[in-house]
Amino acid sequence: MIFVIMAIDQKHLSQEYTPLFLSVQQKNVEMWFSNEAKQWLVVLEKIKQENIILKNRLADAIKQDVSKDFIEYAEYFQQRFIEKDQIVDLLRHDINMMLSAGSHLHKSSDKSQLKKFASQMTDDIEKSRLEFEQLKISFNTYLSKP
């Protein structure tokens, strides 16, 4: 939705229109942040589900007759999978906290805190996603060894 305001002198802009304009800006920020948060949560849910699959594959592999070395590596991967679950849970918690606190942030004229959070969250989720992809590759490579 695009709003066009024709050249209106600020002095002549009545006070009754200003809250409406600010309300529209707030709604746009709320929609933008809500959409960003939904995308972040989808990425985190995908990581969580893939992590469950990897943990199940690890459990199946351990059921086989395995060496002591395999058990040590299995413990390493199990710990890494648990850490990934914790990171995902923390990121989801931060997103949900910001969504609930967001209504207060949207009302302030300074949106820099919200933008800073969004930028940091995007970076954190991307870093977590890349680390998880590397972990997944390492795990699959290890399982494929004879």
Side-chain angles (χ1 to χ4, degrees):
M1 182 181 323
I2 300 175
F3 291 89
V4 177
I5 299 179
M6 302 191 104
I8 299 175
D9 188 357
Q10 281 291 10
K11 291 189 301 187
H12 296 102
L13 186 61
S14 73
Q15 289 183 352
E16 68 184 62
Y17 293 112
T18 303
L20 176 61
F21 180 71
L22 291 176
S23 175
V24 169
Q25 286 180 322
Q26 289 169 357
K27 291 292 180 195
N28 287 340
V29 170
E30 289 174 26
M31 285 178 20
W32 166 79
F33 187 75
S34 178
N35 288 335
E36 288 291 310
K38 286 176 187 174
Q39 291 176 2
W40 296 328
L41 292 171
V42 165
V43 170
L44 293 174
E45 183 60 27
K46 182 180 179 199
I47 291 171
K48 187 97 168 171
Q49 293 302 316
E50 286 186 66
N51 204 23
I52 290 170
I53 292 168
L54 295 178
K55 287 186 283 187
N56 288 337
R57 288 184 58 212
L58 179 61
D60 290 342
I62 291 174
K63 291 177 185 175
Q64 309 297 321
D65 186 23
V66 292
S67 68
K68 183 178 178 180
D69 286 341
F70 185 87
I71 295 295
E72 288 177 12
Y73 275 103
E75 288 174 352
Y76 164 78
F77 283 114
Q78 180 183 22
Q79 184 59 38
R80 294 288 312 275
F81 296 150
I82 290 169
E83 289 169 2
K84 276 297 155 202
D85 280 339
Q86 291 171 341
I87 290 169
V88 166
D89 290 342
L90 288 171
L91 290 170
R92 288 171 63 171
H93 173 76
D94 288 350
I95 292 167
N96 288 325
M97 291 297 292
M98 197 62 163
L99 282 171
S100 64
S103 61
H104 302 294
L105 292 172
H106 302 314
K107 292 177 184 172
S108 73
S109 59
D110 182 15
K111 309 283 189 284
S112 64
Q113 184 179 0
L114 188 63
K115 290 177 182 177
K116 183 178 176 182
F117 173 84
S119 176
Q120 185 63 49
M121 184 57 63
T122 299
D123 292 346
D124 289 348
I125 289 175
E126 182 61 15
K127 179 182 174 192
S128 185
R129 188 189 66 75
L130 292 173
E131 288 173 354
F132 180 73
E133 289 300 319
Q134 187 61 43
L135 175 62
K136 190 168 58 169
I137 290 167
S138 297
F139 178 69
N140 288 331
T141 301
Y142 186 73
L143 282 185
S144 67
K145 290 181 180 179

